[in-house]
Amino acid sequence: MSSTFLGMPAAPPRSPYGTGNLRGERKFPKAAHDELRNEQLRRNLRKATHSIRAKRLAVTSELPDWEPLRDAGAAIKAATMDRLPELLEQLERKVTEQGGTVHWARDGVEANEIVTRLVKETGSDEVIKVKSMATQETGLNEHLENQGVTAYETDLAELIVQLAHDKPSHILVPAIHRNRDEIRDIFRSAIPGVDPELDSVPAHLAAAARAYLREKFMTVPVAVSGANFGIAETGTLSVVESEGNGRMCLTMPKTLITVMGIEKVLPRYQDLEVFLQLLPRSSTGERMNPYTSMWTGVTPGDGPQEFHLVLLDNGRTAALADRIGRQALHCIRCSACLNVCPVYERAGGHAYGSTYPGPIGAVLTPQLAGMDAAKNDPNSSLPYASSLCGACFDACPVKIDIPSLLVELRHQHTEQARATAEKLAMKAAATVMSRPGLFTAAQKAAGTGGRVVAGRDRKISRLPAPFDGWTDTRDLPAPPRRTFRSWLASAEGAAALRAAAEEGARPGADTVRHDHEEGNR
Amino acid sequence: MRIGLFATCLGDTLFPDAVRATAILIARLGHEVVFPPGQTCCGQMHVNTGYQREPVPLVRKFAEQFGDPSIDAVVLPSGSCAGSVRHQHPLVAERYGDAALRDGVETVRAKTYELSELLVDVLGVTDVGAYFPHRVTYHPTCHSLRMLRVGDKPLRLLRAVDSIDLVELPEADACCGFGGTFAVKNADTSGAMLQDKVRNVLSTGADACTAGDSSCLMHIGGGLSRIRSGTRTLHLAQILASTRTSPHAFPKTEAATR
């Protein structure tokens, strides 16, 4: 009998290190430390996140079937991931049948090269762009610029970010960190021929952007878009947006190139019924978004006459291979988790260093790009950028259990790390705590030590590193002289419990009333 | 009922008054308090910090100490530790435990309750005969609210307290910024969250901020203490244990008694 050793399948690759925008330069705590000092950012974030929160709650609580809709969204996504390869091939077949061309990009570098080649084939050295997370992730604009092609962002907020040579800080509201005076200054210095007297009235700012963009819509022959959904059953692509600038890009140019993350595929056209309810209500807090564009291949005489679909992996298959982590691929980029996150609300999007900030970014980014690709990889700090408060899980329209994913990624990180001081301390703590004798000895030592450090006012106001961050803004109480267990074992403890039992049993005195009387107060 | 009391490592060592109040409350309600002496820590800090192998002995210990079938229910005066037993112990047992541990965890988690759950769901009481003539505001800790889903049970218990002046905490469901090692690893962001919580607590004019978790109260209390606000923190159990016969006495600091 002969046997052939087929070997273990190689782990799917992450997004290549040093490419695209899936990694910041600093770890989260350091970046957040600086961002927290940006008062403008803090004020804008607080105002924006709180107002979107209220809107979202209003339009989600009015639907009697909101919870079943979330369940349906989660179920469709889980079923999609279970047969992703087959659905993608179906999508490719359908798009091709309808006159489109499908390209497969294993990472951002390949996607950028494909798009650049397709743009150059049109003879144009300009492209107009629909707001797209995927091309932000791959750093397409920077790549195009290096290749002599100018990309124009047409989403108003993306335009502001682009003109300021800045990076977006929110999935939905990329310029959330700017105020209107800053935007006026950016427009004055970066829009050619703009009125030098332009003021910061929002309508005037929008008009200036509109005049600038209209000219691009009318003259640039090729557009690049992302996609919110791609339907395997029909080959239909869809983009949802608010401004209509996306609609212009999707309909006016001769050539349309769409870059879509492979996880955006949906099995059936009917699935849109679920997601077109979940997405706008979770995202902008609107019942419906103003513009929903859908296109299927090429329609002769109407719209772009050449259509290319670039399917982007860039670490998604690696995430899919993780039994627990793959849930992050269910994300529909609504940004509800950002808007409810207390950490995002304070630190802002730039602190995460990735195209994907906030709670979903903290679980998606390390999976797409890895978190130990380099020494002191900044991405390794992202799973810890959460107090695990769980607000994101409650807000997620497809019920991604982000707190559990964060805990899982923390575990993966500690498993990969060698013997760190923290690991040794955790091991030591577990050893002490699994032996009650050692535990009570440690309690005694900590109690005596703590009381000495605390002094007369029984407060500890300064701790050594790595705990000094705590005492920067908080005191710690000194351990009391007696632990609970020593009190309980004492005559005083026994007497107190006896007295309590007698008090409860005494007729007439403070008797316990049961549930039926509740509400009398 | 025979009710097993898990003091939690933090409660036993740093906040014994809250655990004492829990024990006294249960005794007053006519139940027997059982304290298995081999108990220590649930391992939540380990799991939340990314360590799942190290807490296996702690998970095993908890299951052993409280698995005793003569213990009808287990109570923890901590929403996050109860959440750890319910949601993290099965995870640890599944991944790094054996079949015996998985069975043990399953048995014990089914009878484990946070304090307000035990009182309202198991013992069927909302008015525990407490008396607390002070202004109080309640912070619903994240793990009680979103992991255990205790809902308004703590508030129902508080509303039934004689003479209490219960005032609503603005933005109550926002995290105080504790998050275990988060408060150390991301101390700046945690501190920024705490400032907002402290501001909201102070806006109520409450004498005390209460919650069902000593760890969150340690955080909020640490912030209140640092600015010498004069507002205290008090575990829910301490309010419910206070009666006309033996009312709660706010401890005096040494500075005040000097």
Side-chain angles (χ1 to χ4, degrees), chain A residues 475-492:
Chain A
D475 290 333
L476 196 67
R481 290 185 188 282
R482 209 173 212 186
T483 61
F484 170 74
R485 69 180 67 211
S486 67
W487 173 82
L488 188 70
S490 69
E492 186 194 334

Side-chain angles (χ1 to χ4, degrees), chain A residues 33 46 346 389 394 408 410-411 414-415 422 426 433 443 466 471 474-475 485 503 513 521, chain B residues 12-13 39-40 46 48 50-51 53 96 127 146 149 159 185 188 190 196 219 225-226 243:
Chain A
H33 174 85
R46 182 173 169 82
R346 272 85 185 180
C389 86
D394 278 8
E408 169 63 18
R410 290 176 186 188
H411 181 51
T414 63
E415 287 285 293
E422 181 187 278
M426 286 288 170
M433 283 166 165
Q443 279 182 316
T471 42
R474 318 151 183 85
D475 290 333
R485 69 180 67 211
E503 185 187 344
R513 289 179 289 268
R521 290 185 56 87
Chain B
D12 190 12
T13 314
Q39 62 175 286
T40 55
H46 289 88
N48 282 349
Y51 298 88
R53 293 176 196 274
Y96 297 116
D127 184 343
R146 287 180 280 262
R149 308 272 173 203
R159 282 187 207 116
K185 286 178 189 268
D188 294 321
S190 163
D196 289 343
H219 191 237
S225 160
R226 174 54 58 92
T243 60

